[in-house]
Amino acid sequence: MPRVNLSTVSEFVLVGLSDAPEVCRLLFVLFFITYLATMAGNITILVAISTDTHMHNPMYFFLGNLSLLDILCPTITVPKMLEALVLENKVISFIGCAFQLFFLIDVVGTEIFLLAVMAYDRYVAICHPLQYMNIMSMKLCAHLAIGTWVVGAFNSLLHTSLVFTLFFCDSNEVDQYYCDIPPMLALSCSPTYSRELVILTVAGVLGSSAFVATLVSYIFILLAILCMNSAESRHKAFSTCGSHLTVVCLFYGTTICTYVRPSSTYSPNQDRIVSMLYGILTPLLNPIIYSLRNKEVKCALRRVISHVRTALTR
């Protein structure tokens, strides 16, 4: 029986997206502009929510948390990817890789639970409008928001500890532009079946619970909207919930394709595309989706832009 060297590597090499210099420069410009646009869009949403008193309510409190997550998600992965593209520095330390994975899974998990909380908020607003402010008090909103962050952190801690207590010995090349669970499991020379089972079970239970809560909320929302007599009320309700539902479909679809499956089905090229959808494209689209479909957000953004212009022209 052949012996296997179980010495753990001290650093990893992120294979990245391309080795061709011309392609790397093009990708650098593309992702740098996308990252700046993502930061600008989500920071503007945060500024609008914090400065506009009309938006000091539970719905926009949760939207502010979503914008914060959409700032953190690409910030965890994109700067290192840009560094690899322009400086060809693809090396990341073992500890750096572990921290990158922890914060990424933390943000992704928190966003899944936050979307469920936002769905519940819309359910209360549409199905129990007269009791909305009593039910969704700021104290409850704060507890719900803190709860999503805490559960996301503990979920990430479990996943990270399961992955980074494995042995990595045959190769240190991560077939992805950042440290993620599927490529790390595929890279390990330790048996991964039991850990994959735990990861899939935990992710399945938590993810499906959040998904069911979101789905049930929207079933009740849809029934309530269909029972409305006023066409204007139905349009307003659909407009408000349509933004959130679009974000939910984008995020759930891409994260399920990435994490809720065994490592034997891991495909590097496919995973790069899917990870870009939820890690780069979705944070860019979220502020656009909410601003285009929500009159209050559009008005608040106009006021912020007007104040900025006034300050610059003085």
Side-chain angles (χ1 to χ4, degrees), residues 4-14 90-98 163-175 179 183-190:
V4 178
N5 178 18
L6 294 179
S7 60
T8 304
V9 299
S10 60
E11 61 184 24
F12 295 100
V13 177
L14 302 175
K90 301 180 180 181
V91 176
I92 185 170
S93 68
F94 185 92
I95 297 297
C97 189
V163 171
F164 281 92
T165 51
L166 292 167
F167 287 104
F168 302 93
C169 46
D170 295 332
S171 171
N172 68 338
E173 291 190 353
V174 180
D175 207 352
C179 296
M184 299 307 294
L185 290 175
L187 186 64
S188 174
C189 54
S190 301

PDB file of all heavy atoms in Angstrom, residues 4-14 90-98 163-175 179 183-190:
ATOM      1  N   VAL A   4       1.319   7.968   1.781  1.00  0.00           N
ATOM      2  CA  VAL A   4       0.958   9.316   1.321  1.00  0.00           C
ATOM      3  C   VAL A   4       1.595  10.332   2.251  1.00  0.00           C
ATOM      4  O   VAL A   4       1.533  10.202   3.481  1.00  0.00           O
ATOM      5  CB  VAL A   4      -0.583   9.507   1.309  1.00  0.00           C
ATOM      6  CG1 VAL A   4      -0.929  10.911   0.879  1.00  0.00           C
ATOM      7  CG2 VAL A   4      -1.236   8.485   0.393  1.00  0.00           C
ATOM      8  N   ASN A   5       2.234  11.342   1.666  1.00  0.00           N
ATOM      9  CA  ASN A   5       2.834  12.410   2.463  1.00  0.00           C
ATOM     10  C   ASN A   5       1.735  13.344   2.956  1.00  0.00           C
ATOM     11  O   ASN A   5       1.088  14.028   2.164  1.00  0.00           O
ATOM     12  CB  ASN A   5       3.849  13.168   1.611  1.00  0.00           C
ATOM     13  CG  ASN A   5       4.476  14.315   2.378  1.00  0.00           C
ATOM     14  OD1 ASN A   5       4.407  14.354   3.601  1.00  0.00           O
ATOM     15  ND2 ASN A   5       5.096  15.230   1.658  1.00  0.00           N
ATOM     16  N   LEU A   6       1.500  13.351   4.274  1.00  0.00           N
ATOM     17  CA  LEU A   6       0.407  14.141   4.832  1.00  0.00           C
ATOM     18  C   LEU A   6       0.884  15.467   5.415  1.00  0.00           C
ATOM     19  O   LEU A   6       0.310  15.992   6.343  1.00  0.00           O
ATOM     20  CB  LEU A   6      -0.325  13.328   5.912  1.00  0.00           C
ATOM     21  CG  LEU A   6      -1.064  12.083   5.412  1.00  0.00           C
ATOM     22  CD1 LEU A   6      -1.726  11.366   6.580  1.00  0.00           C
ATOM     23  CD2 LEU A   6      -2.091  12.418   4.353  1.00  0.00           C
ATOM     24  N   SER A   7       1.972  16.020   4.885  1.00  0.00           N
ATOM     25  CA  SER A   7       2.447  17.328   5.335  1.00  0.00           C
ATOM     26  C   SER A   7       1.558  18.413   4.758  1.00  0.00           C
ATOM     27  O   SER A   7       1.295  18.441   3.568  1.00  0.00           O
ATOM     28  CB  SER A   7       3.894  17.541   4.902  1.00  0.00           C
ATOM     29  OG  SER A   7       3.990  17.482   3.500  1.00  0.00           O
ATOM     30  N   THR A   8       1.069  19.294   5.617  1.00  0.00           N
ATOM     31  CA  THR A   8       0.154  20.346   5.184  1.00  0.00           C
ATOM     32  C   THR A   8       0.930  21.475   4.519  1.00  0.00           C
ATOM     33  O   THR A   8       1.958  21.909   5.033  1.00  0.00           O
ATOM     34  CB  THR A   8      -0.634  20.899   6.385  1.00  0.00           C
ATOM     35  OG1 THR A   8      -1.308  19.825   7.025  1.00  0.00           O
ATOM     36  CG2 THR A   8      -1.645  21.937   5.939  1.00  0.00           C
ATOM     37  N   VAL A   9       0.423  21.972   3.402  1.00  0.00           N
ATOM     38  CA  VAL A   9       1.094  23.056   2.689  1.00  0.00           C
ATOM     39  C   VAL A   9       0.942  24.353   3.479  1.00  0.00           C
ATOM     40  O   VAL A   9       0.021  24.516   4.286  1.00  0.00           O
ATOM     41  CB  VAL A   9       0.498  23.232   1.276  1.00  0.00           C
ATOM     42  CG1 VAL A   9       0.676  21.966   0.453  1.00  0.00           C
ATOM     43  CG2 VAL A   9      -0.972  23.614   1.347  1.00  0.00           C
ATOM     44  N   SER A  10       1.863  25.282   3.271  1.00  0.00           N
ATOM     45  CA  SER A  10       1.841  26.559   4.002  1.00  0.00           C
ATOM     46  C   SER A  10       1.232  27.685   3.180  1.00  0.00           C
ATOM     47  O   SER A  10       0.952  28.757   3.710  1.00  0.00           O
ATOM     48  CB  SER A  10       3.260  26.950   4.416  1.00  0.00           C
ATOM     49  OG  SER A  10       4.082  27.097   3.261  1.00  0.00           O
ATOM     50  N   GLU A  11       1.039  27.451   1.883  1.00  0.00           N
ATOM     51  CA  GLU A  11       0.436  28.466   1.023  1.00  0.00           C
ATOM     52  C   GLU A  11      -0.230  27.790  -0.168  1.00  0.00           C
ATOM     53  O   GLU A  11       0.035  26.630  -0.479  1.00  0.00           O
ATOM     54  CB  GLU A  11       1.496  29.458   0.531  1.00  0.00           C
ATOM     55  CG  GLU A  11       2.593  28.832  -0.300  1.00  0.00           C
ATOM     56  CD  GLU A  11       3.671  29.830  -0.683  1.00  0.00           C
ATOM     57  OE1 GLU A  11       3.824  30.839   0.023  1.00  0.00           O
ATOM     58  OE2 GLU A  11       4.362  29.593  -1.700  1.00  0.00           O
ATOM     59  N   PHE A  12      -1.118  28.544  -0.799  1.00  0.00           N
ATOM     60  CA  PHE A  12      -1.836  28.037  -1.965  1.00  0.00           C
ATOM     61  C   PHE A  12      -1.595  28.973  -3.147  1.00  0.00           C
ATOM     62  O   PHE A  12      -1.271  30.148  -2.970  1.00  0.00           O
ATOM     63  CB  PHE A  12      -3.335  27.936  -1.685  1.00  0.00           C
ATOM     64  CG  PHE A  12      -3.694  26.940  -0.620  1.00  0.00           C
ATOM     65  CD1 PHE A  12      -3.961  27.352   0.681  1.00  0.00           C
ATOM     66  CD2 PHE A  12      -3.762  25.586  -0.916  1.00  0.00           C
ATOM     67  CE1 PHE A  12      -4.289  26.439   1.667  1.00  0.00           C
ATOM     68  CE2 PHE A  12      -4.089  24.661   0.067  1.00  0.00           C
ATOM     69  CZ  PHE A  12      -4.353  25.078   1.351  1.00  0.00           C
ATOM     70  N   VAL A  13      -1.776  28.426  -4.342  1.00  0.00           N
ATOM     71  CA  VAL A  13      -1.680  29.207  -5.575  1.00  0.00           C
ATOM     72  C   VAL A  13      -3.055  29.241  -6.205  1.00  0.00           C
ATOM     73  O   VAL A  13      -3.629  28.195  -6.535  1.00  0.00           O
ATOM     74  CB  VAL A  13      -0.659  28.590  -6.559  1.00  0.00           C
ATOM     75  CG1 VAL A  13      -0.646  29.395  -7.860  1.00  0.00           C
ATOM     76  CG2 VAL A  13       0.730  28.554  -5.942  1.00  0.00           C
ATOM     77  N   LEU A  14      -3.610  30.445  -6.352  1.00  0.00           N
ATOM     78  CA  LEU A  14      -4.920  30.612  -6.981  1.00  0.00           C
ATOM     79  C   LEU A  14      -4.726  30.623  -8.495  1.00  0.00           C
ATOM     80  O   LEU A  14      -4.083  31.516  -9.034  1.00  0.00           O
ATOM     81  CB  LEU A  14      -5.571  31.909  -6.520  1.00  0.00           C
ATOM     82  CG  LEU A  14      -5.760  32.040  -4.996  1.00  0.00           C
ATOM     83  CD1 LEU A  14      -6.301  33.420  -4.641  1.00  0.00           C
ATOM     84  CD2 LEU A  14      -6.686  30.958  -4.474  1.00  0.00           C
ATOM     85  N   LYS A  90      -0.284  35.202  -7.496  1.00  0.00           N
ATOM     86  CA  LYS A  90      -1.403  34.302  -7.266  1.00  0.00           C
ATOM     87  C   LYS A  90      -1.279  33.522  -5.963  1.00  0.00           C
ATOM     88  O   LYS A  90      -2.102  32.664  -5.669  1.00  0.00           O
ATOM     89  CB  LYS A  90      -1.524  33.318  -8.437  1.00  0.00           C
ATOM     90  CG  LYS A  90      -1.745  34.001  -9.789  1.00  0.00           C
ATOM     91  CD  LYS A  90      -1.863  33.004 -10.903  1.00  0.00           C
ATOM     92  CE  LYS A  90      -2.093  33.704 -12.248  1.00  0.00           C
ATOM     93  NZ  LYS A  90      -2.240  32.725 -13.355  1.00  0.00           N
ATOM     94  N   VAL A  91      -0.256  33.816  -5.177  1.00  0.00           N
ATOM     95  CA  VAL A  91       0.002  33.074  -3.937  1.00  0.00           C
ATOM     96  C   VAL A  91      -0.807  33.675  -2.792  1.00  0.00           C
ATOM     97  O   VAL A  91      -0.882  34.899  -2.644  1.00  0.00           O
ATOM     98  CB  VAL A  91       1.505  33.087  -3.589  1.00  0.00           C
ATOM     99  CG1 VAL A  91       1.754  32.398  -2.250  1.00  0.00           C
ATOM    100  CG2 VAL A  91       2.303  32.415  -4.694  1.00  0.00           C
ATOM    101  N   ILE A  92      -1.420  32.809  -2.003  1.00  0.00           N
ATOM    102  CA  ILE A  92      -2.119  33.231  -0.795  1.00  0.00           C
ATOM    103  C   ILE A  92      -1.715  32.275   0.324  1.00  0.00           C
ATOM    104  O   ILE A  92      -1.598  31.075   0.121  1.00  0.00           O
ATOM    105  CB  ILE A  92      -3.658  33.232  -1.006  1.00  0.00           C
ATOM    106  CG1 ILE A  92      -4.361  33.787   0.236  1.00  0.00           C
ATOM    107  CG2 ILE A  92      -4.179  31.850  -1.366  1.00  0.00           C
ATOM    108  CD1 ILE A  92      -5.861  34.044   0.019  1.00  0.00           C
ATOM    109  N   SER A  93      -1.458  32.813   1.510  1.00  0.00           N
ATOM    110  CA  SER A  93      -1.016  31.981   2.629  1.00  0.00           C
ATOM    111  C   SER A  93      -2.143  31.059   3.087  1.00  0.00           C
ATOM    112  O   SER A  93      -3.325  31.284   2.796  1.00  0.00           O
ATOM    113  CB  SER A  93      -0.555  32.860   3.790  1.00  0.00           C
ATOM    114  OG  SER A  93      -1.661  33.561   4.346  1.00  0.00           O
ATOM    115  N   PHE A  94      -1.782  30.030   3.832  1.00  0.00           N
ATOM    116  CA  PHE A  94      -2.766  29.089   4.369  1.00  0.00           C
ATOM    117  C   PHE A  94      -3.767  29.836   5.244  1.00  0.00           C
ATOM    118  O   PHE A  94      -4.981  29.653   5.106  1.00  0.00           O
ATOM    119  CB  PHE A  94      -2.051  28.001   5.181  1.00  0.00           C
ATOM    120  CG  PHE A  94      -2.955  26.918   5.671  1.00  0.00           C
ATOM    121  CD1 PHE A  94      -3.167  25.768   4.928  1.00  0.00           C
ATOM    122  CD2 PHE A  94      -3.601  27.037   6.897  1.00  0.00           C
ATOM    123  CE1 PHE A  94      -4.004  24.759   5.391  1.00  0.00           C
ATOM    124  CE2 PHE A  94      -4.442  26.043   7.368  1.00  0.00           C
ATOM    125  CZ  PHE A  94      -4.637  24.895   6.607  1.00  0.00           C
ATOM    126  N   ILE A  95      -3.249  30.702   6.138  1.00  0.00           N
ATOM    127  CA  ILE A  95      -4.132  31.475   7.021  1.00  0.00           C
ATOM    128  C   ILE A  95      -4.984  32.449   6.217  1.00  0.00           C
ATOM    129  O   ILE A  95      -6.174  32.619   6.473  1.00  0.00           O
ATOM    130  CB  ILE A  95      -3.300  32.237   8.075  1.00  0.00           C
ATOM    131  CG1 ILE A  95      -2.550  31.252   8.975  1.00  0.00           C
ATOM    132  CG2 ILE A  95      -4.196  33.145   8.912  1.00  0.00           C
ATOM    133  CD1 ILE A  95      -3.454  30.344   9.791  1.00  0.00           C
ATOM    134  N   GLY A  96      -4.354  33.106   5.213  1.00  0.00           N
ATOM    135  CA  GLY A  96      -5.101  34.034   4.368  1.00  0.00           C
ATOM    136  C   GLY A  96      -6.220  33.342   3.626  1.00  0.00           C
ATOM    137  O   GLY A  96      -7.327  33.887   3.487  1.00  0.00           O
ATOM    138  N   CYS A  97      -5.963  32.135   3.150  1.00  0.00           N
ATOM    139  CA  CYS A  97      -6.979  31.355   2.437  1.00  0.00           C
ATOM    140  C   CYS A  97      -8.127  30.991   3.376  1.00  0.00           C
ATOM    141  O   CYS A  97      -9.299  31.079   3.006  1.00  0.00           O
ATOM    142  CB  CYS A  97      -6.336  30.099   1.858  1.00  0.00           C
ATOM    143  SG  CYS A  97      -7.389  29.155   0.740  1.00  0.00           S
ATOM    144  N   ALA A  98      -7.769  30.578   4.615  1.00  0.00           N
ATOM    145  CA  ALA A  98      -8.790  30.217   5.597  1.00  0.00           C
ATOM    146  C   ALA A  98      -9.668  31.416   5.944  1.00  0.00           C
ATOM    147  O   ALA A  98     -10.904  31.299   6.029  1.00  0.00           O
ATOM    148  CB  ALA A  98      -8.124  29.660   6.855  1.00  0.00           C
ATOM    149  N   VAL A 163     -13.120  22.269   6.577  1.00  0.00           N
ATOM    150  CA  VAL A 163     -12.275  22.276   5.375  1.00  0.00           C
ATOM    151  C   VAL A 163     -10.802  22.382   5.732  1.00  0.00           C
ATOM    152  O   VAL A 163      -9.959  21.634   5.208  1.00  0.00           O
ATOM    153  CB  VAL A 163     -12.684  23.437   4.438  1.00  0.00           C
ATOM    154  CG1 VAL A 163     -11.679  23.585   3.293  1.00  0.00           C
ATOM    155  CG2 VAL A 163     -14.082  23.202   3.870  1.00  0.00           C
ATOM    156  N   PHE A 164     -10.459  23.267   6.659  1.00  0.00           N
ATOM    157  CA  PHE A 164      -9.039  23.560   6.899  1.00  0.00           C
ATOM    158  C   PHE A 164      -8.396  22.696   7.981  1.00  0.00           C
ATOM    159  O   PHE A 164      -7.270  22.972   8.395  1.00  0.00           O
ATOM    160  CB  PHE A 164      -8.855  25.048   7.186  1.00  0.00           C
ATOM    161  CG  PHE A 164      -8.873  25.868   5.928  1.00  0.00           C
ATOM    162  CD1 PHE A 164     -10.062  26.401   5.465  1.00  0.00           C
ATOM    163  CD2 PHE A 164      -7.720  26.065   5.189  1.00  0.00           C
ATOM    164  CE1 PHE A 164     -10.094  27.133   4.293  1.00  0.00           C
ATOM    165  CE2 PHE A 164      -7.744  26.804   4.024  1.00  0.00           C
ATOM    166  CZ  PHE A 164      -8.925  27.322   3.560  1.00  0.00           C
ATOM    167  N   THR A 165      -9.102  21.669   8.442  1.00  0.00           N
ATOM    168  CA  THR A 165      -8.457  20.634   9.249  1.00  0.00           C
ATOM    169  C   THR A 165      -8.161  19.400   8.394  1.00  0.00           C
ATOM    170  O   THR A 165      -7.726  18.378   8.916  1.00  0.00           O
ATOM    171  CB  THR A 165      -9.339  20.243  10.457  1.00  0.00           C
ATOM    172  OG1 THR A 165     -10.664  19.956  10.004  1.00  0.00           O
ATOM    173  CG2 THR A 165      -9.378  21.361  11.482  1.00  0.00           C
ATOM    174  N   LEU A 166      -8.408  19.501   7.096  1.00  0.00           N
ATOM    175  CA  LEU A 166      -8.011  18.457   6.148  1.00  0.00           C
ATOM    176  C   LEU A 166      -6.521  18.591   5.845  1.00  0.00           C
ATOM    177  O   LEU A 166      -5.902  19.618   6.125  1.00  0.00           O
ATOM    178  CB  LEU A 166      -8.815  18.591   4.844  1.00  0.00           C
ATOM    179  CG  LEU A 166     -10.315  18.283   4.909  1.00  0.00           C
ATOM    180  CD1 LEU A 166     -10.994  18.772   3.629  1.00  0.00           C
ATOM    181  CD2 LEU A 166     -10.562  16.790   5.107  1.00  0.00           C
ATOM    182  N   PHE A 167      -5.937  17.564   5.221  1.00  0.00           N
ATOM    183  CA  PHE A 167      -4.552  17.619   4.770  1.00  0.00           C
ATOM    184  C   PHE A 167      -4.514  18.003   3.296  1.00  0.00           C
ATOM    185  O   PHE A 167      -5.317  17.520   2.495  1.00  0.00           O
ATOM    186  CB  PHE A 167      -3.856  16.265   4.980  1.00  0.00           C
ATOM    187  CG  PHE A 167      -3.556  15.962   6.409  1.00  0.00           C
ATOM    188  CD1 PHE A 167      -4.330  15.050   7.114  1.00  0.00           C
ATOM    189  CD2 PHE A 167      -2.499  16.584   7.055  1.00  0.00           C
ATOM    190  CE1 PHE A 167      -4.055  14.765   8.431  1.00  0.00           C
ATOM    191  CE2 PHE A 167      -2.210  16.298   8.384  1.00  0.00           C
ATOM    192  CZ  PHE A 167      -3.002  15.391   9.072  1.00  0.00           C
ATOM    193  N   PHE A 168      -3.566  18.872   2.943  1.00  0.00           N
ATOM    194  CA  PHE A 168      -3.339  19.285   1.558  1.00  0.00           C
ATOM    195  C   PHE A 168      -1.878  18.976   1.246  1.00  0.00           C
ATOM    196  O   PHE A 168      -0.976  19.628   1.769  1.00  0.00           O
ATOM    197  CB  PHE A 168      -3.636  20.773   1.381  1.00  0.00           C
ATOM    198  CG  PHE A 168      -5.040  21.156   1.761  1.00  0.00           C
ATOM    199  CD1 PHE A 168      -5.330  21.604   3.040  1.00  0.00           C
ATOM    200  CD2 PHE A 168      -6.069  21.044   0.838  1.00  0.00           C
ATOM    201  CE1 PHE A 168      -6.618  21.947   3.399  1.00  0.00           C
ATOM    202  CE2 PHE A 168      -7.371  21.391   1.196  1.00  0.00           C
ATOM    203  CZ  PHE A 168      -7.643  21.841   2.479  1.00  0.00           C
ATOM    204  N   CYS A 169      -1.653  17.964   0.402  1.00  0.00           N
ATOM    205  CA  CYS A 169      -0.283  17.483   0.260  1.00  0.00           C
ATOM    206  C   CYS A 169       0.164  17.272  -1.189  1.00  0.00           C
ATOM    207  O   CYS A 169       1.324  17.509  -1.514  1.00  0.00           O
ATOM    208  CB  CYS A 169      -0.101  16.176   1.036  1.00  0.00           C
ATOM    209  SG  CYS A 169      -1.429  14.979   0.762  1.00  0.00           S
ATOM    210  N   ASP A 170      -0.719  16.807  -2.058  1.00  0.00           N
ATOM    211  CA  ASP A 170      -0.303  16.487  -3.422  1.00  0.00           C
ATOM    212  C   ASP A 170      -0.090  17.733  -4.274  1.00  0.00           C
ATOM    213  O   ASP A 170       0.794  17.787  -5.112  1.00  0.00           O
ATOM    214  CB  ASP A 170      -1.348  15.585  -4.093  1.00  0.00           C
ATOM    215  CG  ASP A 170      -1.443  14.233  -3.407  1.00  0.00           C
ATOM    216  OD1 ASP A 170      -0.427  13.813  -2.828  1.00  0.00           O
ATOM    217  OD2 ASP A 170      -2.523  13.621  -3.429  1.00  0.00           O
ATOM    218  N   SER A 171      -0.908  18.741  -4.064  1.00  0.00           N
ATOM    219  CA  SER A 171      -0.822  19.970  -4.856  1.00  0.00           C
ATOM    220  C   SER A 171      -1.343  21.129  -4.017  1.00  0.00           C
ATOM    221  O   SER A 171      -2.159  20.936  -3.116  1.00  0.00           O
ATOM    222  CB  SER A 171      -1.640  19.835  -6.142  1.00  0.00           C
ATOM    223  OG  SER A 171      -1.727  21.071  -6.820  1.00  0.00           O
ATOM    224  N   ASN A 172      -0.863  22.326  -4.301  1.00  0.00           N
ATOM    225  CA  ASN A 172      -1.363  23.511  -3.598  1.00  0.00           C
ATOM    226  C   ASN A 172      -2.021  24.501  -4.566  1.00  0.00           C
ATOM    227  O   ASN A 172      -2.202  25.665  -4.230  1.00  0.00           O
ATOM    228  CB  ASN A 172      -0.240  24.199  -2.826  1.00  0.00           C
ATOM    229  CG  ASN A 172       0.797  24.832  -3.738  1.00  0.00           C
ATOM    230  OD1 ASN A 172       0.926  24.449  -4.909  1.00  0.00           O
ATOM    231  ND2 ASN A 172       1.536  25.794  -3.217  1.00  0.00           N
ATOM    232  N   GLU A 173      -2.377  24.046  -5.767  1.00  0.00           N
ATOM    233  CA  GLU A 173      -3.020  24.905  -6.765  1.00  0.00           C
ATOM    234  C   GLU A 173      -4.537  24.828  -6.634  1.00  0.00           C
ATOM    235  O   GLU A 173      -5.143  23.790  -6.911  1.00  0.00           O
ATOM    236  CB  GLU A 173      -2.580  24.512  -8.176  1.00  0.00           C
ATOM    237  CG  GLU A 173      -1.128  24.829  -8.480  1.00  0.00           C
ATOM    238  CD  GLU A 173      -0.795  24.652  -9.951  1.00  0.00           C
ATOM    239  OE1 GLU A 173      -1.659  24.154 -10.703  1.00  0.00           O
ATOM    240  OE2 GLU A 173       0.318  25.015 -10.337  1.00  0.00           O
ATOM    241  N   VAL A 174      -5.138  25.925  -6.207  1.00  0.00           N
ATOM    242  CA  VAL A 174      -6.591  26.011  -6.073  1.00  0.00           C
ATOM    243  C   VAL A 174      -7.171  26.395  -7.427  1.00  0.00           C
ATOM    244  O   VAL A 174      -6.849  27.463  -7.968  1.00  0.00           O
ATOM    245  CB  VAL A 174      -6.986  27.066  -5.008  1.00  0.00           C
ATOM    246  CG1 VAL A 174      -8.502  27.141  -4.871  1.00  0.00           C
ATOM    247  CG2 VAL A 174      -6.342  26.737  -3.678  1.00  0.00           C
ATOM    248  N   ASP A 175      -8.018  25.544  -7.960  1.00  0.00           N
ATOM    249  CA  ASP A 175      -8.549  25.765  -9.308  1.00  0.00           C
ATOM    250  C   ASP A 175      -9.731  26.728  -9.271  1.00  0.00           C
ATOM    251  O   ASP A 175     -10.862  26.389  -9.637  1.00  0.00           O
ATOM    252  CB  ASP A 175      -8.975  24.423  -9.915  1.00  0.00           C
ATOM    253  CG  ASP A 175      -8.895  24.448 -11.446  1.00  0.00           C
ATOM    254  OD1 ASP A 175      -8.666  25.541 -11.995  1.00  0.00           O
ATOM    255  OD2 ASP A 175      -9.052  23.384 -12.062  1.00  0.00           O
ATOM    256  N   CYS A 179     -10.376  31.270  -2.542  1.00  0.00           N
ATOM    257  CA  CYS A 179     -10.512  30.038  -1.765  1.00  0.00           C
ATOM    258  C   CYS A 179     -11.991  29.770  -1.495  1.00  0.00           C
ATOM    259  O   CYS A 179     -12.669  30.609  -0.881  1.00  0.00           O
ATOM    260  CB  CYS A 179      -9.751  30.161  -0.445  1.00  0.00           C
ATOM    261  SG  CYS A 179      -7.968  30.355  -0.656  1.00  0.00           S
ATOM    262  N   PRO A 183     -13.422  23.742  -4.495  1.00  0.00           N
ATOM    263  CA  PRO A 183     -12.045  23.489  -4.940  1.00  0.00           C
ATOM    264  C   PRO A 183     -11.125  23.041  -3.820  1.00  0.00           C
ATOM    265  O   PRO A 183     -10.181  22.272  -4.064  1.00  0.00           O
ATOM    266  CB  PRO A 183     -11.601  24.838  -5.519  1.00  0.00           C
ATOM    267  CG  PRO A 183     -12.473  25.852  -4.894  1.00  0.00           C
ATOM    268  CD  PRO A 183     -13.781  25.165  -4.692  1.00  0.00           C
ATOM    269  N   MET A 184     -11.363  23.484  -2.576  1.00  0.00           N
ATOM    270  CA  MET A 184     -10.526  23.062  -1.461  1.00  0.00           C
ATOM    271  C   MET A 184     -10.758  21.594  -1.141  1.00  0.00           C
ATOM    272  O   MET A 184      -9.808  20.845  -0.847  1.00  0.00           O
ATOM    273  CB  MET A 184     -10.798  23.920  -0.213  1.00  0.00           C
ATOM    274  CG  MET A 184     -10.505  25.400  -0.381  1.00  0.00           C
ATOM    275  SD  MET A 184      -8.847  25.764  -0.989  1.00  0.00           S
ATOM    276  CE  MET A 184      -7.849  25.209   0.384  1.00  0.00           C
ATOM    277  N   LEU A 185     -12.006  21.148  -1.194  1.00  0.00           N
ATOM    278  CA  LEU A 185     -12.298  19.729  -0.977  1.00  0.00           C
ATOM    279  C   LEU A 185     -11.697  18.875  -2.088  1.00  0.00           C
ATOM    280  O   LEU A 185     -11.153  17.798  -1.835  1.00  0.00           O
ATOM    281  CB  LEU A 185     -13.810  19.503  -0.909  1.00  0.00           C
ATOM    282  CG  LEU A 185     -14.541  20.042   0.327  1.00  0.00           C
ATOM    283  CD1 LEU A 185     -16.039  19.841   0.182  1.00  0.00           C
ATOM    284  CD2 LEU A 185     -14.047  19.367   1.600  1.00  0.00           C
ATOM    285  N   ALA A 186     -11.781  19.377  -3.314  1.00  0.00           N
ATOM    286  CA  ALA A 186     -11.212  18.645  -4.446  1.00  0.00           C
ATOM    287  C   ALA A 186      -9.692  18.574  -4.353  1.00  0.00           C
ATOM    288  O   ALA A 186      -9.079  17.609  -4.857  1.00  0.00           O
ATOM    289  CB  ALA A 186     -11.634  19.307  -5.756  1.00  0.00           C
ATOM    290  N   LEU A 187      -9.062  19.545  -3.723  1.00  0.00           N
ATOM    291  CA  LEU A 187      -7.604  19.615  -3.620  1.00  0.00           C
ATOM    292  C   LEU A 187      -7.059  18.722  -2.507  1.00  0.00           C
ATOM    293  O   LEU A 187      -5.912  18.263  -2.578  1.00  0.00           O
ATOM    294  CB  LEU A 187      -7.196  21.066  -3.354  1.00  0.00           C
ATOM    295  CG  LEU A 187      -5.711  21.413  -3.342  1.00  0.00           C
ATOM    296  CD1 LEU A 187      -5.089  21.178  -4.709  1.00  0.00           C
ATOM    297  CD2 LEU A 187      -5.519  22.868  -2.922  1.00  0.00           C
ATOM    298  N   SER A 188      -7.870  18.457  -1.481  1.00  0.00           N
ATOM    299  CA  SER A 188      -7.386  17.726  -0.313  1.00  0.00           C
ATOM    300  C   SER A 188      -7.032  16.274  -0.651  1.00  0.00           C
ATOM    301  O   SER A 188      -7.669  15.642  -1.492  1.00  0.00           O
ATOM    302  CB  SER A 188      -8.446  17.742   0.784  1.00  0.00           C
ATOM    303  OG  SER A 188      -8.059  16.919   1.863  1.00  0.00           O
ATOM    304  N   CYS A 189      -5.991  15.745   0.046  1.00  0.00           N
ATOM    305  CA  CYS A 189      -5.611  14.349  -0.120  1.00  0.00           C
ATOM    306  C   CYS A 189      -6.145  13.500   1.030  1.00  0.00           C
ATOM    307  O   CYS A 189      -5.804  12.321   1.147  1.00  0.00           O
ATOM    308  CB  CYS A 189      -4.096  14.215  -0.224  1.00  0.00           C
ATOM    309  SG  CYS A 189      -3.203  14.972   1.146  1.00  0.00           S
ATOM    310  N   SER A 190      -6.978  14.087   1.918  1.00  0.00           N
ATOM    311  CA  SER A 190      -7.633  13.342   2.990  1.00  0.00           C
ATOM    312  C   SER A 190      -8.996  12.853   2.502  1.00  0.00           C
ATOM    313  O   SER A 190      -9.570  13.431   1.576  1.00  0.00           O
ATOM    314  CB  SER A 190      -7.841  14.224   4.219  1.00  0.00           C
ATOM    315  OG  SER A 190      -6.626  14.731   4.695  1.00  0.00           O
TER     316      SER A 190
END
